[in-house]
Amino acid sequence: NVFTPNNDDYNNVFIVLDGYKSIRDFKITIFNRVGQVVHEYEGDIRDWEGWKGYIRDGNNEAPAGNYFFVVEATGWDKVNYNDNNLGSSSSSENTDETNENPSAKSKQFGVVRLFRADIK
């Protein structure tokens, strides 16, 4: 839950999912501690390069600190992934009430720490 975007080839990008082959619809929104959106992506998860620590993908670096994210994801099996089953390899027994409404997406909430340090 920590990344260090300092171009040292280690932990430079925040990626929330690994092994995402079954995700059909994906959206992530990252907020700073006062609730302002600093990064947002919606689309094919295979096209998301992760958050590189810039505000709204511009040239301004986000300051070091804690950031909060919300992920909304739906699998090819129409399972709406949430805090209970995101990252699970099997979700055949999902009792989440949003599965009764396929247009609703479940949400996963989390915290990531952005740490900036100069390399000498």
Side-chain angles (χ1 to χ4, degrees), residues 105-120:
K105 287 186 182 177
S106 295
K107 297 179 181 181
Q108 177 195 18
F109 303 93
V111 177
V112 62
R113 171 104 174 125
L114 188 156
F115 180 76
R116 295 196 183 274
D118 294 331
I119 298 176
K120 304 214 182 216

Side-chain angles (χ1 to χ4, degrees), residues 2 6 16 28 36 51 54 57-58 62 64 66 70 75 84 87 95 104 114 117:
V2 175
N6 55 9
V16 72
I28 184 166
Q36 297 168 324
W51 182 42
Y54 289 95
D57 294 329
N66 292 326
V70 176
N84 297 325
T95 59
L114 188 156

Side-chain angles (χ1 to χ4, degrees), residues 41-57:
Y41 175 82
E42 184 171 6
D44 190 334
I45 192 168
R46 293 158 198 82
D47 295 334
W48 184 52
E49 296 177 353
W51 182 42
K52 298 176 182 174
Y54 289 95
I55 297 174
R56 293 288 202 169
D57 294 329

Side-chain angles (χ1 to χ4, degrees), residues 13 23-24 32 46 48 53 61 76 79 96 106 109 120:
V13 178
I23 300 297
R24 183 186 68 198
N32 64 14
R46 293 158 198 82
W48 184 52
E61 291 182 344
W76 286 100
V79 170
D96 184 25
S106 295
F109 303 93
K120 304 214 182 216

